[in-house]
Amino acid sequence: MGNSYAGQLRTTRFEEVLHNSIEASLRSNTVIPRPVFSQLYLETEQSLAHDGGLSRTENDDEDDEDGSETNSPPIPYQMKPPPDGCCTTDGFCQAGRDLRLSSMTSDSLDVPPGFLLVGIKSPSLPETLLVCAVDRRFLPDERGRHALLGFSGNCTGCGEKGFRYFTEFSNHINLKLSTQPKKQKHLKYHLYRNNQGALVKGAPICWRGHGKSIVSIAFTPTGKCPEHSMASGCHHVFISCICLHLIDTGHGSLPQLTGNVSEVLVSSLLQSCYLSSQVLPRVYQHYGPSPIQPLSTEMQILLTVYYLVQLGPDQVPLIEDLEQIFMRSWRESHLSEIRQYQQPQTPATQGSQQPLTPSQLPWLAQLAASSCGEGVVVLGEQIRSLAQGLEQTFSRLMEGRLKNTNYVVIIVTACIFVCAAGKHQCRALAETMYSPCEGLKEINHQLSTGVAQELIHFCNSLGQGDNDKYSVEWREVRSIQLAVARKLLSHVCAIADSSTQNLDLGSFDRVSFLILVPPSEVTFQQTVLHVRSSGVLQELGTLDQECASQREAEHYVVKMDQSAQAQIDNLIQEAQSNTYTLYILVHDHAHWDISSASYNTSDSGSGLVDQLLNSRRVRDAPNILILHVTSFPFALQTQYTRISPYNEIHWPSAFSNDVDLYHEKTRYFGVSELLESTRSGSSLPLMRHDSSFESMASALEERFPKLHSAVIRTTVLIQHYCVALMAASGRISGSHNLHKHTSVETLEIVQSLLTAAQQCPARHGHMVLLRIPSLALAAWAHRRLSKVRRQLGLEESFEIILGNPNQPLNIGQTFTDQIKTWQQIQDSEWIPRTYLELEALPCILILSGAEPLGESLPRSLKYCDLRVISCSYLQRTTLEQELGLAAYLVKEESRPPHDPGPGSDLLESDAEKLSSTDNEEEEEGQENEDSPLSSSQQLQSCPDSGALDPLSAQSSTSPNVQKGTVDTMQAPSQSQAQFQSQTSSQSFAHPQPTPHHQTQPQVPSFSQSRRQHSKSTSSGSLSPRSSSPHLSCSWARGVSRPPSVLLPRALCDIIMASDSSGLPRCTSFLPHMSVAWASSFRPLLSKMMTCTEQSLYYRQWTAPRSHHMDSSNRTEGRSDNFHPRRLLLSGPPQVGKTGAYLHFLGILSRMLIRLMEVDIYDEEDVNYSAQADGVQYHPPNASWPNPDIMKTMPFDYTLHDPKYDDISAVYCPGYRPSVEGKHRNPVRQEDVYLRRRTSRIKLSKYAAYNTYHHCEQCHQYLGFNPRYQMYESTLHAFTFTHLLLGEEIQLYFIIPKSKEHYFSFSQPGGQLESMRLPLISDWSPDCIKSPIFTPTTGRHEHGLFNLYHAMDGASHLHILVVKEYEMAVYKKYWPNHIMLVLPTVFNGTGIGAAHFLIKELSYHNLELERSRRLEGGGPAVDVWPFIILADDSCVMFNTVDLDARNGPTEHAVSLKQVLQHMEACPDLANYGLCGIRKWSSRGLTGQGEPFSRGHLHDFLLLNVDRSQNIQYDQNRFTCHDVDFTLRLHSAGLLVCRFNSFSVMKKQIAIGGYKTFIIKTKMTDVPTSVGPSQYICAPDSKHLFLATPAQLLLEKYLQHTSQKLFPLSTKNYAHPVLSVDCYLNLGPEVTVCFVSSRPHSVNISTTGLLFSGLLLCFADTFVTAGFLKKFTFLKGATLCVISADRSSLRQTVGRLELEEEWRFRLSDEFQTANAKEDRPLFFLTGKHI
């Protein structure tokens, strides 16, 4: 029976069966002849029915020690005791004669005819052999074949003959075995006489495949043609028999037959089908004895007869149909039992169906066959043996009594023999036994040996006797392609984000790729064209120029032939040396070569993909990702697949309405739509068969039975074309009589081909695709058609192209010039390299090759002639890829375009046809790339069709592209001319007529803001369009119609039929030749299944055959063995997958670049006065500041950091604000934070990273140290007391084992004592002395705590300061970082508290270290007193290069270099606080000083020793650094900013100390709280807030101070006097800071009138006398802030404020906190 399982047949077996069995019967001295088929010793066929394809192959050597045929343990064997008095000596027989070879070397032995001397291996005598004589029929030949079952031998010692059983013989020769005697185990060597006549050991006996087997035999006795091979003779009868029980009660001897028995075919199809249908699914085997039983053999035989009866006379039996019949019958007969397993509570009911008995079978089968007359003949009731049945069958055949019979069924006890007697069935079934490769070889053989000449001569004897303007269409990447590209990207990101760490995207800074295509030159050139035109090379930064050359693009595409090895080796070497590059291996047309490399032969080229892509070097490379792309993924979706189901990306399905989500303007027209067109009935279907052609082919198949059907059908088809050319040309006399020698379909094709080009003034025409798989037949067809064309003088009318995958495209110069004229190509050397470039060229394309290899076809394809494709290999992949040649994209407005009739061109809906099988030219530069096109790429159209706007209809160009196009028509500029010269050699076009009823859709694109000129000419295709389709241009009218498809009738019947699920029958076929069904008990595919569900179906129900590359991909103990960096993109043929994956490469590159970039705050310093003093204090190139000079520099009180652009200015005597003022419309700080200006900067090699970065160099730094177990750290308590804290608090240090050397511990006990500090005199080139403290909150993932690269590998002490409630999550993400955990009371505090604790703890630690040094005998004052306070968003550092040619420039440096430079400052101990600039792309603003005194932010080097008495305000949430710097300066400490260094701060929108939400205490009441609600009158009923009082106060003053200090608003000359602290009163108010401390440094306030006074927690240093030094405006506002009402009144009294300030009862306020939350109180008053 025919289908895809064929190809493993034994073609010579019947000869030995026949002759040896007859000889054995004649020789037999038994009364009853031994059963013939029980003596057959046939090779075990590989069957997947039992174990999913894991049975032994025929080459397995079973010479194992246990000798068992199965995996079961050896059966214990007890030898029969020898008769009394017999010899039992080893090496002697029971008669006492010596059998040892060493003793019988020179003895003359009596060897009967037909017997051979054999050496027997005795377990007790391993050093020698025993000699015996064995009948040669029971021994295998040199290939391990042709051995009959059983044994016949003689003893060479005593001469006893006739031993029929090896068990009996082994007893006689005293083998003394412990296991069952087997001849295969002990008959080891042939013996022969050497030149000296001595008997010696010869070749070993080749025992192979000696298992009993259920066999299925197909054989054809051809008594009249012994000279021909099997292939030419299998046309009289085809017998498939299945012997279901090889028992010793036989069917008699075979009849005496004559003929060429070498032409026998052996088929295993029935055997596999019967057996697999009898292996119950495991679910029914788990319950022990079950009422559910498989179908009986008798029922299977009867169902087989029923199936054969219902087949039509021209139909060939399919094994899939028979399997489904078996399954349906089984399910119906066990319906109640199956339901019992689904619903266990239901008691089982035994089926009432009575079993079919063997005696009933023959007459029931005859009864079934009676309904079809002589179509099926059953021999059963009178047949007593197989021999009798075969003799009757052959007799009837020779007598001509089976002329009307298709099948003879011989039923003997428990056996069925199906003999195909019909000629059509014999031919079809015989040809299915070839593999595709063998079939093509047979065709070549018949052509090369002249066997087909008679047919060719017979067939040859039959039938003797002006230009409109074309606009250029620019196609963007369609939205659905963009969506698929993004899905690919998201899957890649998912691999990277998984915990397996199989892909570290953060470590790659660029993308490279290599596209692997099948060994087709056209496919190769087509893919190169896509790469050039897509702009992907420019996107990846591979090219600097705008257009890629042919040679450059070819570097990225490789044909999978023998030359591919070198290119892949180069890529692997590149990947190993460029670890920062991510390499994408795109395996396009991935279903093409899935053979295992172990089956690869040098000439076949198969197995190359397995050898290259599945090699360990590719598999283990961490920077190589494999993307399989295919329209037919089924063969890659097996039980042992390498691709995870989670890594599959399926094209959105029209069936599931996924396509609607993407607002596609096109609708895919593929196989399903072709089938739909056949069911409409309203017009001629687009897919059909040719009855006339089929009739003639069938007649010639009967006339030439020895020829392959492909030879016959191709010869007939080409003759039809030749005759049709003669008839259509009108150049042959009597051409009207030629019509009867061709078919209507062929004549229509040829007439359309000729008339289209003749009627169009521009000579546009159609393409006719003629698919001929055999290269030899295709070459013959090309020669034949070319000869006829030449004879008819039609060489200029149309081209005939031989599409050989191994050769480049070759067309005549005339047609090349025609294409160049249409496309206005100026390059004299340009030639078309792809079928896409043949748009509108009238031609016949003869596409050869065993299967299409991804060649794309132009949209001028009108007919797809598949009439001679093979019907023998019925797999889903094979069928669908042939039909995929006709796939089309049509406009969404034009519903299924049914063919109005033969030759009709009336359908004029504007459509868009994709031009590739797996490749698509509709790439664009995504949504943000446009390309003006040169005039060289415009095409000409029909002359008198220019009625409408040439830029109408389907064009997707953006406006600037259209403008560029029109401009080039008028006067190409120099740049355009240059562009033209670069692109003309590679442009390709698709002419596209434009119907008048459509309007221009403008596709908006923000690309114009990014790029006005594309880097490439085509990320899409060019399409010439006529403004109006001229009636005489058939091509213009029909270009939007999908092609008509002509199929063989056998395939048409199969494809158009539906199974029970509603799907076409071909979908239920075996998906690929290289896989097998795991079980017959599988469900059918459902019409409702998605692509994902289909994938899971094939993953469950198919297993790879042994020659499949995935067959070795099985790992013991694991349910899967998926490759982690392997993706599969599947989608229908010609839908646009190439465009999608090329676009994916582009956006992947952009994403990697984006990962390597960071948004940096890029803001120019603010508030610089135009009146600079112009004094230069330090030389511009000074390395370090001079303390003496620094003391002479005025302190700059003005805030220049743009992040503080919205806070109160600090009054500075020398500064005058700009006339416009700071802000006309002040905004809230939260808004400023969100809108601040940033620049995208590429990360340098010295960047700090967050938790998403984990390159190999960082592993040890992040905790992947082999010396320490990951996450191994210790929690250490540390008690700390401070006067301002008022109580002893306990801190915790989390110290990883790897960092314990930075601390000192008590001995014994291990109690944490201090953090070790270096000495001032210490210096190391790879060490940073200052501990780095980074306070952080809410940024455990996004904080930049990985300083490994920033420090350039230098040793440093880095401590994260975290809140207690965040300790666990920070420890999880940063297991190798030291953490200082703030006390619980600090959970709700701001950044001021963190800095306060860091500074005070550091000073306390400094004293501890000094004490420890003193105890050790060292100097106490020599301990390093500096710490670093770093923000958690400092990402990179820069230095100014003053020696640059074009003025000062900045470049990236490591943090190590910055700190070592600052730490090396000779007089660093003189400074209280040092810092660096914040980076700006505008460089250093306002001054050229290398050092300055002023405010410092974000990154501070703090001297905790000199600043001992100045603390950070632990209560502050905002502006704490401004407040601290002012107090530090007022205390007389030097503050220095190193302007030669700058810090880049990354914009991190998550977490941070600024993210405090002000909310009410009633959490169930969602309310928006404004600043006026932050305060309330004391003792009033008010909505209390769950926010710290200090934060409420700061926010209130920030937002409402213009009401509180009305005289201060926009009044820089009259600031608010703030004593001992700085508070932000909003951007409208200026604050003048003064310190009340003795000897403090303050500005001169002489003559300065203040508009207000702010006293916040005034201590005893603030006195009434101190305040009286200052003068206030009348009406100035006073604000006194205290912790409670009592201290508020005490402060008013102590400072005698009531003398100069007027207070009212209503002027007292508190923050809106409940009493238990300790609100703050403040009092306001007016100056008298």
Side-chain angles (χ1 to χ4, degrees), residues 1657-1693:
F1657 304 114
D1659 57 18
T1660 55
F1661 289 105
V1662 183
T1663 62
F1666 173 77
L1667 294 180
K1668 287 176 182 177
K1669 297 177 183 177
F1670 307 103
T1671 308
F1672 296 90
L1673 292 173
K1674 184 177 181 180
T1677 305
L1678 165 68
C1679 181
V1680 185
I1681 303 168
S1682 290
D1684 52 58
R1685 297 178 77 177
S1686 171
S1687 60
L1688 187 63
R1689 292 187 175 89
Q1690 290 173 9
T1691 301
V1692 172

Side-chain angles (χ1 to χ4, degrees), residues 103 1189 1423:
S103 305
I1189 296 177
V1423 178

Side-chain angles (χ1 to χ4, degrees), residues 1582-1710:
H1582 191 272
L1583 184 65
F1584 288 144
L1585 304 178
T1587 305
Q1590 177 75 27
L1591 180 59
L1592 287 179
L1593 178 68
E1594 292 179 25
K1595 291 292 183 183
Y1596 174 77
L1597 293 176
Q1598 173 188 345
H1599 292 294
T1600 61
S1601 55
Q1602 62 270 30
K1603 296 179 182 178
L1604 194 59
F1605 299 97
L1607 297 182
S1608 308
T1609 304
K1610 297 183 180 180
N1611 194 349
Y1612 188 83
H1614 301 290
V1616 173
L1617 180 64
S1618 180
V1619 180
D1620 288 338
C1621 79
Y1622 169 87
L1623 278 173
N1624 175 22
L1625 302 181
E1628 306 289 334
V1629 177
T1630 302
V1631 173
C1632 179
F1633 174 86
V1634 295
S1635 173
S1636 63
R1637 301 299 189 269
H1639 315 297
S1640 58
V1641 178
N1642 287 319
I1643 65 169
S1644 172
T1645 57
T1646 305
L1648 191 58
L1649 291 175
F1650 293 99
S1651 58
L1653 173 62
L1654 180 62
L1655 297 173
C1656 184
F1657 304 114
D1659 57 18
T1660 55
F1661 289 105
V1662 183
T1663 62
F1666 173 77
L1667 294 180
K1668 287 176 182 177
K1669 297 177 183 177
F1670 307 103
T1671 308
F1672 296 90
L1673 292 173
K1674 184 177 181 180
T1677 305
L1678 165 68
C1679 181
V1680 185
I1681 303 168
S1682 290
D1684 52 58
R1685 297 178 77 177
S1686 171
S1687 60
L1688 187 63
R1689 292 187 175 89
Q1690 290 173 9
T1691 301
V1692 172
R1694 182 174 64 81
L1695 298 180
E1696 303 170 4
L1697 295 177
E1698 291 179 299
E1699 293 181 6
E1700 296 188 23
W1701 304 87
R1702 184 179 69 247
F1703 299 100
R1704 296 180 302 177
L1705 288 175
S1706 59
D1707 291 338
E1708 186 177 356
F1709 303 95
Q1710 74 166 63

Side-chain angles (χ1 to χ4, degrees), residues 377-537:
V377 173
V378 176
L379 305 178
E381 283 195 288
Q382 290 80 32
I383 302 300
R384 295 289 175 263
S385 67
L386 172 62
Q388 184 183 356
L390 288 175
E391 192 168 357
Q392 283 196 24
T393 301
F394 296 141
S395 297
R396 293 187 183 195
L397 182 66
M398 297 305 175
E399 294 166 6
R401 293 161 57 192
L402 297 180
K403 285 183 179 179
N404 300 320
T405 300
N406 294 326
Y407 307 98
V408 178
V409 180
I410 305 171
I411 300 175
V412 191
T413 307
C415 287
I416 177 174
F417 288 75
V418 180
C419 309
K423 295 179 180 179
H424 174 68
Q425 288 78 8
C426 284
R427 174 189 291 277
L429 290 168
E431 289 182 359
T432 61
M433 296 187 179
Y434 292 116
S435 68
C437 183
E438 291 168 345
L440 293 176
K441 285 181 179 178
E442 177 60 27
I443 293 169
N444 292 349
H445 173 75
Q446 293 184 6
L447 288 176
S448 62
T449 56
V451 175
Q453 283 305 308
E454 183 183 352
L455 167 70
I456 294 171
H457 290 317
F458 174 80
C459 288
N460 290 347
S461 67
L462 299 175
Q464 288 297 330
D466 94 330
N467 293 338
D468 276 342
K469 297 297 181 187
Y470 268 77
S471 63
V472 178
E473 175 190 357
W474 188 261
R475 295 204 196 110
E476 295 180 344
V477 167
R478 306 191 332 266
S479 57
I480 197 167
Q481 290 176 296
L482 177 60
V484 171
R486 287 174 174 164
K487 283 172 68 176
L488 279 166
L489 183 65
S490 68
H491 277 72
V492 172
C493 293
I495 296 173
D497 291 341
S498 67
S499 59
T500 56
Q501 297 184 347
N502 287 311
L503 190 64
D504 181 12
L505 282 181
S507 65
F508 303 124
D509 55 13
R510 64 181 294 267
V511 172
S512 186
F513 68 93
L514 190 65
I515 302 175
L516 313 180
V517 297
S520 161
E521 182 63 24
V522 170
T523 303
F524 172 77
Q525 294 294 344
Q526 165 187 301
T527 309
V528 168
L529 186 57
H530 292 329
V531 170
R532 294 181 66 188
S533 61
S534 66
V536 67
L537 297 182

Side-chain angles (χ1 to χ4, degrees), residues 567-822:
Q567 284 185 266
I568 298 228
D569 286 344
N570 290 339
L571 180 132
I572 295 172
Q573 291 172 6
E574 277 188 42
Q576 291 171 345
S577 58
N578 300 322
T579 56
Y580 295 109
T581 299
L582 176 60
Y583 291 85
I584 309 295
L585 268 176
V586 181
H587 178 206
D588 208 344
H589 217 66
H591 61 277
W592 167 68
D593 177 16
I594 54 173
S595 302
S596 171
S598 59
Y599 283 75
N600 183 21
T601 58
S602 57
D603 57 336
S604 71
S606 62
L608 201 58
V609 171
D610 183 37
Q611 178 183 336
L612 299 179
L613 292 195
N614 297 330
S615 68
R616 181 175 293 276
R617 293 192 302 163
V618 171
R619 187 181 66 216
D620 295 344
N623 58 337
I624 295 180
L625 185 144
I626 299 172
L627 171 62
H628 299 281
V629 182
T630 177
S631 297
F632 316 103
F634 327 117
L636 300 174
Q637 297 165 332
T638 67
Q639 291 178 349
Y640 305 153
T641 179
R642 300 171 193 268
I643 304 162
S644 166
Y646 300 108
N647 284 354
E648 287 190 16
I649 299 92
H650 306 285
W651 202 268
S653 167
F655 168 75
S656 60
N657 296 323
D658 289 349
V659 173
D660 297 340
L661 301 175
Y662 304 102
H663 309 291
E664 278 286 280
K665 300 173 185 175
T666 56
R667 189 173 68 88
Y668 182 69
F669 196 90
V671 177
S672 300
E673 289 74 17
L674 280 171
L675 288 171
E676 187 181 330
S677 77
T678 65
R679 302 189 185 107
S680 64
S682 60
S683 61
L684 190 65
L686 289 176
M687 186 167 65
R688 55 191 184 267
H689 69 267
D690 183 353
S691 302
S692 302
F693 168 77
E694 296 291 338
S695 300
M696 185 174 289
S698 297
L700 288 178
E701 283 177 354
E702 290 192 21
R703 180 168 183 149
F704 298 94
K706 303 168 189 176
L707 289 180
H708 197 286
S709 61
V711 176
I712 295 173
R713 294 174 68 88
T714 304
T715 306
V716 172
L717 185 65
I718 298 305
Q719 182 62 21
H720 276 198
Y721 270 95
C722 293
V723 173
L725 280 171
M726 298 174 193
S729 68
R731 302 184 184 185
I732 301 293
S733 59
S735 59
H736 58 279
N737 295 322
L738 296 174
H739 290 196
K740 64 182 179 181
H741 296 295
T742 186
S743 68
V744 174
E745 293 282 4
T746 311
L747 190 60
E748 149 64 18
I749 291 172
V750 172
Q751 285 177 338
S752 176
L753 174 69
L754 293 178
T755 58
Q758 291 167 358
Q759 294 174 1
C760 175
R763 305 195 62 79
H764 292 143
H766 302 295
M767 170 182 280
V768 176
L769 174 70
L770 188 52
R771 177 83 176 97
I772 303 179
S774 166
L775 296 177
L777 279 176
W780 171 82
H782 181 261
R783 292 193 300 271
R784 174 79 178 128
L785 287 175
S786 299
K787 179 180 179 182
V788 172
R789 182 185 62 162
R790 185 177 65 256
Q791 291 170 346
L792 296 174
L794 297 175
E795 294 100 322
E796 305 295 324
S797 299
F798 65 95
E799 178 63 301
I800 302 173
I801 303 164
L802 177 58
N804 185 332
N806 303 318
Q807 298 172 357
L809 176 61
N810 181 27
I811 69 170
Q813 187 60 44
T814 302
F815 298 104
T816 300
D817 294 341
Q818 200 167 22
I819 296 173
K820 289 167 67 174
T821 302
W822 289 338

Side-chain angles (χ1 to χ4, degrees), residues 1280-1291:
F1280 178 58
T1281 306
H1282 194 277
L1283 184 62
L1284 291 178
L1285 295 174
E1287 60 183 2
E1288 187 178 81
I1289 60 172
Q1290 195 169 44
L1291 301 173

Side-chain angles (χ1 to χ4, degrees), residues 140-207:
D141 61 13
E142 65 275 8
R143 293 180 297 169
R145 299 179 180 180
H146 306 174
L148 293 179
L149 293 176
F151 177 79
S152 177
N154 302 337
C155 178
T156 54
C158 63
E160 186 173 348
K161 300 180 179 179
F163 289 95
R164 294 299 183 191
Y165 298 97
F166 187 71
T167 303
E168 176 188 7
F169 185 66
S170 63
N171 288 337
H172 175 77
I173 62 176
N174 289 315
L175 281 189
K176 301 178 182 177
L177 303 177
S178 59
T179 58
Q180 178 71 35
K182 292 181 64 177
K183 66 177 181 180
Q184 294 91 336
K185 183 174 180 180
H186 299 285
L187 303 183
K188 298 300 293 184
Y189 294 96
H190 292 284
L191 304 179
Y192 73 100
R193 301 279 181 185
N194 62 13
N195 293 335
Q196 289 75 35
L199 190 65
V200 294
K201 182 172 75 172
I205 298 173
C206 183
W207 294 106

